[in-house]
Amino acid sequence: MTEKFRLQIREWLDENCPPSMRTPMPADETPTGGKKARYKNPDTKQWMETCAAKGYTAPIWPTEYGGAGMSAEQHQIFRQEMARINARPPLAGMGLAMIGPALLEFGTDEQKAEHLPKISSGEIWWCQGYSEPNSGSDLASLQTRAVPDGDEYTINGQKIWTSGADSADWIFCLVRTDTEAPKHSGITFILFSMDQPGVTVKPILLISGMSPFCETFFEDARALRSNVVGKVNEGWTVAKRLLQYERTSIGSGGGQSQRPVVDFAKDYIGLVNGRLADAPLRDEIVAHAMDDRAFALTVRRTTEESRSTQAPSFVSSMFKFYGTEQNKIRFELMMSAMGTQMLGWEGGGFDDMELTQTRAWLRTKANSIEGGTSEVQLNIIAKRVLGLPD
Ligand SMILES: Cc1cc2nc3c(=O)[nH]c(=O)nc-3n(C[C@H](O)[C@H](O)[C@H](O)COP(=O)(O)OP(=O)(O)OC[C@H]3O[C@@H](n4cnc5c(N)ncnc54)[C@H](O)[C@@H]3O)c2cc1C
């Protein structure tokens, strides 16, 4: 049965995945979807739409919300077959990885019917309004205020590091709805459109010349009360779960689903008697590949163990911590193999793949900060997984 499924997926991918979607993905070709998306490579849009039509942008979501309704086992096979041909993800972003799963768990039927199909089809791009200038690791101290007004809320305050806010259509946002309650108790999780007069975004220019995130200002922004997810003042519960989805996604996204480091190394160092020419590097690459494999199996086992709930837990902090460290090591190893060819920024002497790898290497440094820093994950593991005292 599973072999038949594998064959079906393999044949479908062979027929439908364009050749340019089987190469490492430059950051500026990330398939975010959304109404403001610009597609540098037209294949990106075509690949997204072809997959969306089959439910392959959201393989495990129910078909009624645009998913393919795959079981965990089928999803594993799907991922393996995608990795086999180095297929790029057809759609990426916070809609699929974060707010979608949170809505599946906490959303009302109306919220699911309204938002999920627009996520899986790539119609709407979401951003995350969590961090504020004085509330990062201590997120529950957030101050952005929401005040009820008829069937809406009026929102005032500021968020920061809002990834993609200048291109996003909607935001999932944490707002304070009770200023008297203890800090974790007065927070509400709410959704609203970014395309309204009360929302202003200011991209933060990085040293790389890119602006992947923004300062986001709310001045009397409006949100419908019906777009509160979970209960008013109990948004912390939804917020924490969403972080678990985010951390699982950041931590378990790499490794087995990426081109093996040894393939890069073979291209740049070459083989002697069928083995990688550089013996010490060979040992390091093998050790890393074994750790990757063990990690992937651990993620899989944990997913299977939590199959009844279909939701992550505090263990996601272990995935986030370990997976992001593994990803950083992965890129350091590629750097060792590719040498100065992985230090190009622009101009001649470097091909597109090499220039992509340089940027991807730098981007890995943020993996252990975004979604909660490594130190914060270690605190959570100590308290919530190991049960150590505060
Ligand atoms: C690439 C990227 C994308 C991001 N995208 C978004 C986004 O879309 N939306 C959003 O809301 N936010 C986003 N963030 C923000 C991110 O969530 C925060 O940067 C992160 O939670 C850390 O908060 P901070 O930057 O305020 O650091 P701080 O909380 O000020 O931490 C500074 C340092 O102190 C350490 N520290 C803090 N508290 C403790 C503690 N209790 N124990 C031990 N060490 C501690 C931290 O580990 C860190 O090293 C993004 C960040 C990055 C890097």
Side-chain angles (χ1 to χ4, degrees):
M1 194 68 181
T2 53
E3 276 318 298
K4 193 172 163 212
F5 180 77
R6 185 183 294 282
L7 211 63
Q8 277 171 3
I9 296 292
R10 189 169 291 190
E11 280 173 5
W12 188 87
L13 287 174
D14 283 346
E15 266 173 41
N16 290 284
C17 184
S20 75
M21 293 294 104
R22 303 178 190 209
T23 59
M25 185 170 68
D28 59 0
E29 289 188 25
T30 304
T32 52
K35 294 191 190 301
K36 297 164 205 154
R38 297 279 170 276
Y39 296 94
K40 196 175 146 197
N41 177 351
D43 284 350
T44 308
K45 185 163 188 275
Q46 188 208 320
W47 179 224
M48 182 182 82
E49 289 174 351
T50 308
C51 285
K54 290 282 284 183
Y56 290 168
T57 49
I60 58 170
W61 287 14
T63 49
E64 63 186 300
Y65 301 132
M70 285 185 200
S71 66
E73 197 175 13
Q74 289 174 327
H75 189 211
Q76 173 75 7
I77 292 171
F78 180 75
R79 283 169 57 105
Q80 286 168 350
E81 289 303 313
M82 292 276 285
R84 192 183 61 81
I85 59 162
N86 300 315
R88 295 186 189 176
L91 179 62
M94 297 179 174
L96 272 186
M98 292 154 66
I99 184 63
L103 282 175
L104 279 167
E105 192 177 345
F106 295 98
T108 60
D109 288 345
E110 291 73 22
Q111 288 170 345
K112 289 183 205 171
E114 163 73 15
H115 298 295
L116 293 176
K118 292 181 188 167
I119 295 174
S120 56
S121 66
E123 185 185 332
I124 294 291
W125 182 359
W126 287 82
C127 64
Q128 176 186 37
Y130 272 33
S131 307
E132 297 184 2
N134 293 312
S135 306
S137 299
D138 181 18
L139 183 60
S141 65
L142 63 94
Q143 295 297 321
T144 293
R145 188 87 170 91
V147 177
D149 179 12
D151 60 0
E152 296 186 331
Y153 278 95
T154 304
I155 298 167
N156 283 284
Q158 187 197 339
K159 298 289 173 179
I160 195 165
W161 312 123
T162 328
S163 299
D166 50 343
S167 309
D169 305 297
W170 275 66
I171 186 166
F172 51 92
C173 196
L174 295 181
V175 291
R176 188 156 296 287
T177 36
D178 185 341
T179 50
E180 306 296 318
K183 64 181 179 180
H184 294 89
S185 306
I187 292 171
T188 296
F189 190 111
I190 196 161
L191 319 173
F192 55 95
S193 169
M194 292 290 281
D195 294 320
Q196 55 166 307
V199 178
T200 316
V201 294
K202 201 168 146 202
I204 300 169
L205 191 63
L206 303 188
I207 196 169
S208 66
M210 293 171 72
S211 297
F213 31 50
C214 303
E215 292 177 280
T216 306
F217 301 91
F218 306 124
E219 282 174 79
D220 293 336
R222 313 291 290 176
L224 283 173
R225 276 182 186 233
S226 57
N227 272 324
V228 168
V229 182
K231 293 191 181 140
V232 173
N233 292 331
E234 294 182 22
W236 189 245
T237 307
V238 185
K240 273 192 305 184
R241 178 69 92 199
L242 184 136
L243 282 173
Q244 291 174 353
Y245 286 116
E246 177 177 12
R247 289 166 183 165
T248 303
S249 158
I250 297 172
S252 57
Q256 299 284 301
S257 59
Q258 299 184 48
R259 188 180 183 218
V261 179
V262 70
D263 286 359
F264 288 94
K266 275 187 213 160
D267 290 349
Y268 284 84
I269 295 177
L271 301 176
V272 173
N273 298 329
R275 305 172 79 194
L276 204 61
D278 181 330
L281 183 60
R282 186 171 69 217
D283 288 350
E284 284 184 59
I285 290 175
V286 169
H288 180 262
M290 286 168 64
D291 287 343
D292 244 8
R293 181 84 186 118
F295 178 53
L297 288 171
T298 307
V299 172
R300 191 169 153 190
R301 176 171 53 78
T302 312
T303 309
E304 281 170 9
E305 281 171 3
S306 65
R307 199 173 275 173
S308 55
T309 56
Q310 287 287 332
S313 65
F314 290 116
V315 174
S316 58
S317 289
M318 284 165 54
F319 296 161
K320 163 74 168 61
F321 176 74
Y322 192 81
T324 53
E325 294 304 324
Q326 272 293 97
N327 204 32
K328 287 198 281 189
I329 297 170
R330 171 188 159 78
F331 276 83
E332 293 297 333
L333 288 172
M334 283 196 284
M335 171 80 83
S336 300
M338 291 169 64
T340 50
Q341 286 310 107
M342 212 176 119
L343 283 175
W345 196 248
E346 59 188 6
F350 305 97
D351 64 28
D352 284 352
M353 186 279 288
E354 290 164 345
L355 295 175
T356 299
Q357 291 302 89
T358 306
R359 285 165 171 75
W361 166 64
L362 289 171
R363 181 62 181 80
T364 62
K365 307 297 176 195
N367 290 161
S368 45
I369 301 172
E370 62 195 319
T373 65
S374 281
E375 290 78 13
V376 166
Q377 304 318 305
L378 290 174
N379 284 346
I380 295 172
I381 294 164
K383 275 193 262 182
R384 307 287 178 190
V385 181
L386 301 176
L388 298 175
D390 260 335

PDB file of all heavy atoms in Angstrom, residues 208-235:
ATOM      1  N   SER A 208      22.684  43.291   5.012  1.00  0.00           N
ATOM      2  CA  SER A 208      22.691  42.561   3.741  1.00  0.00           C
ATOM      3  C   SER A 208      22.018  43.344   2.634  1.00  0.00           C
ATOM      4  O   SER A 208      22.055  42.962   1.477  1.00  0.00           O
ATOM      5  CB  SER A 208      21.936  41.241   3.916  1.00  0.00           C
ATOM      6  OG  SER A 208      20.573  41.514   4.173  1.00  0.00           O
ATOM      7  N   GLY A 209      21.347  44.452   2.991  1.00  0.00           N
ATOM      8  CA  GLY A 209      20.596  45.204   1.992  1.00  0.00           C
ATOM      9  C   GLY A 209      19.154  44.754   1.922  1.00  0.00           C
ATOM     10  O   GLY A 209      18.328  45.370   1.263  1.00  0.00           O
ATOM     11  N   MET A 210      18.833  43.658   2.617  1.00  0.00           N
ATOM     12  CA  MET A 210      17.454  43.167   2.596  1.00  0.00           C
ATOM     13  C   MET A 210      16.663  43.740   3.781  1.00  0.00           C
ATOM     14  O   MET A 210      17.255  44.210   4.747  1.00  0.00           O
ATOM     15  CB  MET A 210      17.438  41.638   2.662  1.00  0.00           C
ATOM     16  CG  MET A 210      18.012  40.990   1.418  1.00  0.00           C
ATOM     17  SD  MET A 210      18.202  39.231   1.628  1.00  0.00           S
ATOM     18  CE  MET A 210      16.496  38.704   1.567  1.00  0.00           C
ATOM     19  N   SER A 211      15.346  43.668   3.660  1.00  0.00           N
ATOM     20  CA  SER A 211      14.470  44.107   4.764  1.00  0.00           C
ATOM     21  C   SER A 211      13.450  43.018   5.033  1.00  0.00           C
ATOM     22  O   SER A 211      12.284  43.153   4.681  1.00  0.00           O
ATOM     23  CB  SER A 211      13.740  45.399   4.387  1.00  0.00           C
ATOM     24  OG  SER A 211      14.636  46.433   4.180  1.00  0.00           O
ATOM     25  N   PRO A 212      13.877  41.927   5.639  1.00  0.00           N
ATOM     26  CA  PRO A 212      12.921  40.827   5.821  1.00  0.00           C
ATOM     27  C   PRO A 212      11.903  41.090   6.915  1.00  0.00           C
ATOM     28  O   PRO A 212      10.904  40.398   6.992  1.00  0.00           O
ATOM     29  CB  PRO A 212      13.806  39.636   6.177  1.00  0.00           C
ATOM     30  CG  PRO A 212      15.028  40.243   6.776  1.00  0.00           C
ATOM     31  CD  PRO A 212      15.197  41.600   6.166  1.00  0.00           C
ATOM     32  N   PHE A 213      12.172  42.063   7.783  1.00  0.00           N
ATOM     33  CA  PHE A 213      11.158  42.340   8.803  1.00  0.00           C
ATOM     34  C   PHE A 213      10.987  43.825   9.071  1.00  0.00           C
ATOM     35  O   PHE A 213      11.769  44.643   8.609  1.00  0.00           O
ATOM     36  CB  PHE A 213      11.385  41.584  10.110  1.00  0.00           C
ATOM     37  CG  PHE A 213      12.790  41.288  10.489  1.00  0.00           C
ATOM     38  CD1 PHE A 213      13.756  42.275  10.480  1.00  0.00           C
ATOM     39  CD2 PHE A 213      13.151  40.013  10.893  1.00  0.00           C
ATOM     40  CE1 PHE A 213      15.045  41.991  10.854  1.00  0.00           C
ATOM     41  CE2 PHE A 213      14.445  39.730  11.265  1.00  0.00           C
ATOM     42  CZ  PHE A 213      15.393  40.709  11.243  1.00  0.00           C
ATOM     43  N   CYS A 214       9.931  44.134   9.827  1.00  0.00           N
ATOM     44  CA  CYS A 214       9.463  45.519   9.920  1.00  0.00           C
ATOM     45  C   CYS A 214       9.128  45.898  11.366  1.00  0.00           C
ATOM     46  O   CYS A 214       8.861  45.040  12.198  1.00  0.00           O
ATOM     47  CB  CYS A 214       8.170  45.696   9.137  1.00  0.00           C
ATOM     48  SG  CYS A 214       8.275  45.247   7.420  1.00  0.00           S
ATOM     49  N   GLU A 215       9.086  47.227  11.567  1.00  0.00           N
ATOM     50  CA  GLU A 215       8.363  47.766  12.721  1.00  0.00           C
ATOM     51  C   GLU A 215       6.913  47.916  12.247  1.00  0.00           C
ATOM     52  O   GLU A 215       6.678  48.366  11.126  1.00  0.00           O
ATOM     53  CB  GLU A 215       8.896  49.131  13.103  1.00  0.00           C
ATOM     54  CG  GLU A 215      10.298  49.127  13.660  1.00  0.00           C
ATOM     55  CD  GLU A 215      10.773  50.542  13.932  1.00  0.00           C
ATOM     56  OE1 GLU A 215      11.189  51.205  12.965  1.00  0.00           O
ATOM     57  OE2 GLU A 215      10.704  50.978  15.089  1.00  0.00           O
ATOM     58  N   THR A 216       5.965  47.574  13.106  1.00  0.00           N
ATOM     59  CA  THR A 216       4.558  47.636  12.702  1.00  0.00           C
ATOM     60  C   THR A 216       3.799  48.464  13.732  1.00  0.00           C
ATOM     61  O   THR A 216       3.855  48.172  14.931  1.00  0.00           O
ATOM     62  CB  THR A 216       3.967  46.209  12.623  1.00  0.00           C
ATOM     63  OG1 THR A 216       4.801  45.429  11.756  1.00  0.00           O
ATOM     64  CG2 THR A 216       2.555  46.211  12.085  1.00  0.00           C
ATOM     65  N   PHE A 217       3.117  49.497  13.244  1.00  0.00           N
ATOM     66  CA  PHE A 217       2.428  50.432  14.154  1.00  0.00           C
ATOM     67  C   PHE A 217       0.917  50.336  13.959  1.00  0.00           C
ATOM     68  O   PHE A 217       0.440  50.284  12.828  1.00  0.00           O
ATOM     69  CB  PHE A 217       2.881  51.871  13.857  1.00  0.00           C
ATOM     70  CG  PHE A 217       4.371  52.064  14.008  1.00  0.00           C
ATOM     71  CD1 PHE A 217       5.219  51.883  12.916  1.00  0.00           C
ATOM     72  CD2 PHE A 217       4.928  52.403  15.233  1.00  0.00           C
ATOM     73  CE1 PHE A 217       6.593  52.043  13.044  1.00  0.00           C
ATOM     74  CE2 PHE A 217       6.305  52.573  15.368  1.00  0.00           C
ATOM     75  CZ  PHE A 217       7.141  52.382  14.272  1.00  0.00           C
ATOM     76  N   PHE A 218       0.198  50.315  15.073  1.00  0.00           N
ATOM     77  CA  PHE A 218      -1.272  50.299  15.018  1.00  0.00           C
ATOM     78  C   PHE A 218      -1.793  51.591  15.648  1.00  0.00           C
ATOM     79  O   PHE A 218      -1.495  51.884  16.820  1.00  0.00           O
ATOM     80  CB  PHE A 218      -1.841  49.112  15.798  1.00  0.00           C
ATOM     81  CG  PHE A 218      -1.260  47.782  15.372  1.00  0.00           C
ATOM     82  CD1 PHE A 218      -0.653  46.938  16.306  1.00  0.00           C
ATOM     83  CD2 PHE A 218      -1.310  47.369  14.042  1.00  0.00           C
ATOM     84  CE1 PHE A 218      -0.118  45.725  15.928  1.00  0.00           C
ATOM     85  CE2 PHE A 218      -0.780  46.149  13.661  1.00  0.00           C
ATOM     86  CZ  PHE A 218      -0.174  45.330  14.598  1.00  0.00           C
ATOM     87  N   GLU A 219      -2.526  52.352  14.853  1.00  0.00           N
ATOM     88  CA  GLU A 219      -3.183  53.556  15.377  1.00  0.00           C
ATOM     89  C   GLU A 219      -4.663  53.441  15.067  1.00  0.00           C
ATOM     90  O   GLU A 219      -5.084  53.638  13.933  1.00  0.00           O
ATOM     91  CB  GLU A 219      -2.616  54.809  14.704  1.00  0.00           C
ATOM     92  CG  GLU A 219      -1.268  55.222  15.263  1.00  0.00           C
ATOM     93  CD  GLU A 219      -0.685  56.370  14.470  1.00  0.00           C
ATOM     94  OE1 GLU A 219      -1.106  57.521  14.682  1.00  0.00           O
ATOM     95  OE2 GLU A 219       0.175  56.102  13.623  1.00  0.00           O
ATOM     96  N   ASP A 220      -5.427  53.049  16.070  1.00  0.00           N
ATOM     97  CA  ASP A 220      -6.867  52.802  15.883  1.00  0.00           C
ATOM     98  C   ASP A 220      -7.133  51.806  14.754  1.00  0.00           C
ATOM     99  O   ASP A 220      -8.056  52.006  13.940  1.00  0.00           O
ATOM    100  CB  ASP A 220      -7.628  54.119  15.629  1.00  0.00           C
ATOM    101  CG  ASP A 220      -7.612  55.015  16.865  1.00  0.00           C
ATOM    102  OD1 ASP A 220      -7.456  54.479  17.981  1.00  0.00           O
ATOM    103  OD2 ASP A 220      -7.725  56.236  16.706  1.00  0.00           O
ATOM    104  N   ALA A 221      -6.309  50.770  14.681  1.00  0.00           N
ATOM    105  CA  ALA A 221      -6.580  49.688  13.718  1.00  0.00           C
ATOM    106  C   ALA A 221      -7.837  48.946  14.182  1.00  0.00           C
ATOM    107  O   ALA A 221      -8.186  48.967  15.371  1.00  0.00           O
ATOM    108  CB  ALA A 221      -5.401  48.740  13.648  1.00  0.00           C
ATOM    109  N   ARG A 222      -8.539  48.312  13.243  1.00  0.00           N
ATOM    110  CA  ARG A 222      -9.808  47.660  13.564  1.00  0.00           C
ATOM    111  C   ARG A 222      -9.715  46.150  13.358  1.00  0.00           C
ATOM    112  O   ARG A 222      -9.088  45.679  12.403  1.00  0.00           O
ATOM    113  CB  ARG A 222     -10.930  48.193  12.664  1.00  0.00           C
ATOM    114  CG  ARG A 222     -11.003  49.686  12.533  1.00  0.00           C
ATOM    115  CD  ARG A 222     -11.440  50.386  13.785  1.00  0.00           C
ATOM    116  NE  ARG A 222     -12.843  50.148  14.112  1.00  0.00           N
ATOM    117  CZ  ARG A 222     -13.426  50.601  15.225  1.00  0.00           C
ATOM    118  NH1 ARG A 222     -12.723  51.267  16.124  1.00  0.00           N
ATOM    119  NH2 ARG A 222     -14.696  50.354  15.459  1.00  0.00           N
ATOM    120  N   ALA A 223     -10.339  45.410  14.275  1.00  0.00           N
ATOM    121  CA  ALA A 223     -10.412  43.946  14.124  1.00  0.00           C
ATOM    122  C   ALA A 223     -11.797  43.505  14.563  1.00  0.00           C
ATOM    123  O   ALA A 223     -12.326  43.977  15.576  1.00  0.00           O
ATOM    124  CB  ALA A 223      -9.368  43.273  14.988  1.00  0.00           C
ATOM    125  N   LEU A 224     -12.400  42.606  13.796  1.00  0.00           N
ATOM    126  CA  LEU A 224     -13.719  42.093  14.179  1.00  0.00           C
ATOM    127  C   LEU A 224     -13.603  41.219  15.429  1.00  0.00           C
ATOM    128  O   LEU A 224     -12.661  40.425  15.548  1.00  0.00           O
ATOM    129  CB  LEU A 224     -14.296  41.243  13.041  1.00  0.00           C
ATOM    130  CG  LEU A 224     -14.885  41.984  11.846  1.00  0.00           C
ATOM    131  CD1 LEU A 224     -15.250  40.971  10.753  1.00  0.00           C
ATOM    132  CD2 LEU A 224     -16.107  42.797  12.261  1.00  0.00           C
ATOM    133  N   ARG A 225     -14.554  41.330  16.315  1.00  0.00           N
ATOM    134  CA  ARG A 225     -14.574  40.463  17.509  1.00  0.00           C
ATOM    135  C   ARG A 225     -14.643  38.992  17.111  1.00  0.00           C
ATOM    136  O   ARG A 225     -14.133  38.133  17.813  1.00  0.00           O
ATOM    137  CB  ARG A 225     -15.796  40.780  18.368  1.00  0.00           C
ATOM    138  CG  ARG A 225     -15.593  41.934  19.313  1.00  0.00           C
ATOM    139  CD  ARG A 225     -16.867  42.094  20.116  1.00  0.00           C
ATOM    140  NE  ARG A 225     -16.829  43.264  20.948  1.00  0.00           N
ATOM    141  CZ  ARG A 225     -17.074  43.250  22.271  1.00  0.00           C
ATOM    142  NH1 ARG A 225     -17.388  42.140  22.878  1.00  0.00           N
ATOM    143  NH2 ARG A 225     -17.021  44.350  22.962  1.00  0.00           N
ATOM    144  N   SER A 226     -15.316  38.735  15.974  1.00  0.00           N
ATOM    145  CA  SER A 226     -15.448  37.331  15.532  1.00  0.00           C
ATOM    146  C   SER A 226     -14.097  36.754  15.108  1.00  0.00           C
ATOM    147  O   SER A 226     -13.984  35.555  14.885  1.00  0.00           O
ATOM    148  CB  SER A 226     -16.445  37.229  14.380  1.00  0.00           C
ATOM    149  OG  SER A 226     -16.033  38.059  13.317  1.00  0.00           O
ATOM    150  N   ASN A 227     -13.084  37.594  15.017  1.00  0.00           N
ATOM    151  CA  ASN A 227     -11.754  37.089  14.669  1.00  0.00           C
ATOM    152  C   ASN A 227     -10.854  36.892  15.888  1.00  0.00           C
ATOM    153  O   ASN A 227      -9.628  36.762  15.744  1.00  0.00           O
ATOM    154  CB  ASN A 227     -11.086  38.006  13.638  1.00  0.00           C
ATOM    155  CG  ASN A 227     -11.457  37.580  12.211  1.00  0.00           C
ATOM    156  OD1 ASN A 227     -11.585  36.382  11.948  1.00  0.00           O
ATOM    157  ND2 ASN A 227     -11.636  38.530  11.329  1.00  0.00           N
ATOM    158  N   VAL A 228     -11.438  36.887  17.085  1.00  0.00           N
ATOM    159  CA  VAL A 228     -10.683  36.454  18.275  1.00  0.00           C
ATOM    160  C   VAL A 228     -10.567  34.933  18.205  1.00  0.00           C
ATOM    161  O   VAL A 228     -11.572  34.237  18.032  1.00  0.00           O
ATOM    162  CB  VAL A 228     -11.409  36.873  19.580  1.00  0.00           C
ATOM    163  CG1 VAL A 228     -10.778  36.178  20.788  1.00  0.00           C
ATOM    164  CG2 VAL A 228     -11.383  38.379  19.747  1.00  0.00           C
ATOM    165  N   VAL A 229      -9.344  34.419  18.326  1.00  0.00           N
ATOM    166  CA  VAL A 229      -9.150  32.961  18.312  1.00  0.00           C
ATOM    167  C   VAL A 229      -9.037  32.488  19.761  1.00  0.00           C
ATOM    168  O   VAL A 229      -8.241  33.023  20.532  1.00  0.00           O
ATOM    169  CB  VAL A 229      -7.891  32.568  17.510  1.00  0.00           C
ATOM    170  CG1 VAL A 229      -7.737  31.046  17.470  1.00  0.00           C
ATOM    171  CG2 VAL A 229      -7.959  33.136  16.096  1.00  0.00           C
ATOM    172  N   GLY A 230      -9.848  31.500  20.129  1.00  0.00           N
ATOM    173  CA  GLY A 230      -9.911  31.091  21.540  1.00  0.00           C
ATOM    174  C   GLY A 230     -10.756  32.123  22.288  1.00  0.00           C
ATOM    175  O   GLY A 230     -11.545  32.856  21.682  1.00  0.00           O
ATOM    176  N   LYS A 231     -10.527  32.207  23.614  1.00  0.00           N
ATOM    177  CA  LYS A 231     -11.367  33.127  24.394  1.00  0.00           C
ATOM    178  C   LYS A 231     -10.652  34.450  24.645  1.00  0.00           C
ATOM    179  O   LYS A 231      -9.414  34.489  24.707  1.00  0.00           O
ATOM    180  CB  LYS A 231     -11.694  32.473  25.744  1.00  0.00           C
ATOM    181  CG  LYS A 231     -12.575  31.255  25.593  1.00  0.00           C
ATOM    182  CD  LYS A 231     -13.088  30.815  26.943  1.00  0.00           C
ATOM    183  CE  LYS A 231     -13.953  29.581  26.788  1.00  0.00           C
ATOM    184  NZ  LYS A 231     -13.762  28.608  27.826  1.00  0.00           N
ATOM    185  N   VAL A 232     -11.446  35.497  24.833  1.00  0.00           N
ATOM    186  CA  VAL A 232     -10.902  36.804  25.197  1.00  0.00           C
ATOM    187  C   VAL A 232     -10.140  36.656  26.528  1.00  0.00           C
ATOM    188  O   VAL A 232     -10.600  35.955  27.434  1.00  0.00           O
ATOM    189  CB  VAL A 232     -12.052  37.846  25.334  1.00  0.00           C
ATOM    190  CG1 VAL A 232     -11.513  39.177  25.874  1.00  0.00           C
ATOM    191  CG2 VAL A 232     -12.740  38.041  23.992  1.00  0.00           C
ATOM    192  N   ASN A 233      -8.971  37.270  26.607  1.00  0.00           N
ATOM    193  CA  ASN A 233      -8.081  37.232  27.791  1.00  0.00           C
ATOM    194  C   ASN A 233      -7.403  35.876  28.004  1.00  0.00           C
ATOM    195  O   ASN A 233      -6.654  35.703  28.954  1.00  0.00           O
ATOM    196  CB  ASN A 233      -8.813  37.621  29.094  1.00  0.00           C
ATOM    197  CG  ASN A 233      -9.202  39.082  29.095  1.00  0.00           C
ATOM    198  OD1 ASN A 233      -8.516  39.896  28.468  1.00  0.00           O
ATOM    199  ND2 ASN A 233     -10.275  39.424  29.771  1.00  0.00           N
ATOM    200  N   GLU A 234      -7.693  34.910  27.136  1.00  0.00           N
ATOM    201  CA  GLU A 234      -7.027  33.601  27.263  1.00  0.00           C
ATOM    202  C   GLU A 234      -6.178  33.288  26.029  1.00  0.00           C
ATOM    203  O   GLU A 234      -5.940  32.134  25.672  1.00  0.00           O
ATOM    204  CB  GLU A 234      -8.071  32.492  27.501  1.00  0.00           C
ATOM    205  CG  GLU A 234      -8.757  32.648  28.843  1.00  0.00           C
ATOM    206  CD  GLU A 234      -9.758  31.550  29.128  1.00  0.00           C
ATOM    207  OE1 GLU A 234      -9.670  30.463  28.534  1.00  0.00           O
ATOM    208  OE2 GLU A 234     -10.643  31.795  29.966  1.00  0.00           O
ATOM    209  N   GLY A 235      -5.731  34.367  25.389  1.00  0.00           N
ATOM    210  CA  GLY A 235      -4.943  34.202  24.158  1.00  0.00           C
ATOM    211  C   GLY A 235      -3.576  33.587  24.391  1.00  0.00           C
ATOM    212  O   GLY A 235      -2.957  33.063  23.461  1.00  0.00           O
TER     213      GLY A 235
END
